[in-house]
Amino acid sequence: MSEAVREPRQDRSRATRARLLAAAVDCLADVGWSGSTVSVVAERAGVSRGAAQHHFPTREDLFTAAIEYVTEERLAHMRDGLPNLPPGRDRIEYVVHAIGEMYSSKLFRAALQLWVAASSDDQLRAQVVPLEAQLGREAHRLTVAALGVDETRPGVRELVQATLDMARGLGLANLLTDDGKRRRRVLDQWASTLAAIVNDAPG
Amino acid sequence: MSEAVREPRQDRSRATRARLLAAAVDCLADVGWSGSTVSVVAERAGVSRGAAQHHFPTREDLFTAAIEYVTEERLAHMRDGLPNLPPGRDRIEYVVHAIGEMYSSKLFRAALQLWVAASSDDQLRAQVVPLEAQLGREAHRLTVAALGVDETRPGVRELVQATLDMARGLGLANLLTDDGKRRRRVLDQWASTLAAIVNDAPG
C-alpha cells in the first residue's frame, strides 16, 4: 500500500476514534454512566456498531480510553484557558474566573459521572484514581503558574488548593440548575481576597 | 383498640420507616442510585419486602422520602455540629473544620449519588432541586450564625458561600480516596484567612 493510500486511512481511523471518545464524554455528561453503552455512544458518534467495536471491543475499553481522553482534554482546556497577563490583581481575577468556568463545563460533568460510578465499582475506581491524581497535580501546577503567585510563601499553596476545591464545589452546585450568577459573585469576591493576600509584601 | 396497644404499634411502624430510610441512605452512599432498589434497601434494613412495600409502594416513594430524610439529617447534623464558642478566631477555626467534615460524610456521599442520578432523570430532578435549594439556604443561614460573622459587611456573604462551596469540593475530592490529611491543611489555612478578614475592623 502506498503512503498516499495508507495516510488517509490512518487519518480516518484516528478521526473515528476521536469521534467515539468525544461522543463517550457527551453521553456521560448527558445520560450518565449507566446509560452510556457502546451502542449509544456509537449512534451518537454516527459510527456503526461494528466500527465502534473494532476500536473498542468492550465497554471497559471505550471508557478507559474516554477517561484518559477526558483527563487530557481537561488539562488542554486548562492550559488553553491561561492568559498572558502580567502578575497581579487583573491576572488573578481572570484566572479565578477561568478556573470556575472550567469546573462548570461538560468535561467536569462527564468526569463527575465517572467519579460517582467509580465510587461503587472497584474496577472503574482502579482506572480513575491514578488519572485523577495526575490531573490534580497538573491542575495545581498550572494554576500556580497561571495565577503568577509564589508558592514558597506560607499559606499560598493551600490557598491555591482551596481555589481548586472551591471551583469543584461550584461545578457541583451547577449540576442541576444554572448557578452562573451566584458563581460569578463568589468568584469575584474570592479573586479580590486572594489578590489582596498574595500581593501583600511577603511576611 | 386501646391507647396502650395502638401506641407501641405506631412506634414500631415509625421505627420500621426510619430503619428503611436510614438503609436507603446507606445504600445510596455505598452502591449508588442504580443499585439501590426497594429489595436491596429492605434487606439491608432487616425488614421484609412486604413490610417495605407497605411503607413505600414504589421505588420513587422510598427515595422521595429518603431525599427529604437526607436533607433533614444533613441539616440536623449541621445544627448539632455547631459549637457554643465566643465569636473570633477559635470559633471560626472550629466551624470551618466542622463544615469540612460534614461535607465528607456518608450523608454527603448519599446526596451526591442523588444529584448525579437527578442530572439525567427529570422526575428525580424535580424532587431534588427544591429540597437542595431549601438545604442551601438553611446551610448558609446556619453557617453565618455558627461562624458568628456580620453578613452586612461587604464580601462576607460571598466568603461564607465560598466556604460552603469549598467544603462541597473537598467532599467530592474525598469520594474515591481518603483526602483527610490534605483537607485539614486546606481548612486550617482557610480558617486563618477567613478569621483575618472578618475580624478586621469594619471597612
Side-chain angles (χ1 to χ4, degrees), chain A residues 13-49:
Chain A
S13 174
R14 219 175 283 133
T16 300
R17 191 172 189 277
R19 268 220 310 283
L20 284 164
L21 295 176
V25 171
D26 284 349
C27 270
L28 274 180
D30 288 353
V31 300
W33 169 252
S34 60
S36 295
T37 62
V38 175
S39 303
V40 167
V41 171
E43 196 183 329
R44 186 179 284 233
V47 168
S48 73
R49 206 165 167 216

Side-chain angles (χ1 to χ4, degrees), chain A residues 125 161 165 168-169 176 182, chain B residues 125 161 165 169 176 182:
Chain A
R125 182 198 295 251
Q161 293 192 20
D165 287 312
R168 202 183 299 113
L176 298 180
R182 188 188 73 88
Chain B
R125 182 197 297 252
Q161 293 192 19
D165 287 312
L176 299 181
R182 187 188 74 88

Side-chain angles (χ1 to χ4, degrees), chain A residues 1 12 46 53 83 97 103 108 116 126 131 133-134 146-147 155 166 174 176 178 185 187 198:
Chain A
M1 207 189 298
R12 274 201 306 279
Q53 282 180 326
H97 279 277
Y103 279 81
F108 175 81
V116 168
L131 285 164
Q134 179 201 326
L147 290 167
M166 189 191 309
N174 200 55
L176 298 180
D178 179 359
R185 277 202 308 269
L187 292 170
V198 299

Side-chain angles (χ1 to χ4, degrees), chain A residues 140 143-144 147 149 155-165:
Chain A
H140 182 90
T143 303
V144 169
L147 290 167
V149 295
V156 169
R157 181 177 169 75
E158 287 76 17
L159 289 176
V160 170
Q161 293 192 20
T163 304
L164 291 166
D165 287 312

Side-chain angles (χ1 to χ4, degrees), chain A residues 29-32 34 108 112-120 125 128-129 132 154-159 161-170 172-173 175-177 179 182 185-186 189-190 193 197, chain B residues 29-32 34 108 112-120 125 128-129 132 154-159 161-170 172-173 175-177 179 182 185-186 189-190 193 197:
Chain A
D30 288 353
V31 300
S34 60
F108 175 81
L112 179 59
Q113 294 284 347
L114 283 175
W115 296 332
V116 168
S119 73
S120 54
R125 182 198 295 251
V128 171
V129 166
E132 272 306 312
V156 169
R157 181 177 169 75
E158 287 76 17
L159 289 176
Q161 293 192 20
T163 304
L164 291 166
D165 287 312
M166 189 191 309
R168 202 183 299 113
L170 287 166
L172 191 49
L175 182 66
L176 298 180
T177 52
D179 191 42
R182 188 188 73 88
R185 277 202 308 269
V186 170
Q189 180 56 49
W190 177 239
T193 302
I197 295 167
Chain B
D30 287 354
V31 301
S34 60
F108 174 82
L112 178 60
Q113 294 284 348
L114 283 175
W115 297 332
V116 168
S119 74
S120 55
R125 182 197 297 252
V128 171
V129 166
E132 271 306 313
V156 169
R157 182 176 168 74
E158 287 75 16
L159 288 175
Q161 293 192 19
T163 304
L164 291 166
D165 287 312
M166 188 188 45
R168 203 183 297 111
L170 288 167
L172 192 49
L175 182 65
L176 299 181
T177 52
D179 191 42
R182 187 188 74 88
R185 278 203 308 269
V186 170
Q189 181 56 49
W190 184 263
T193 301
I197 295 167

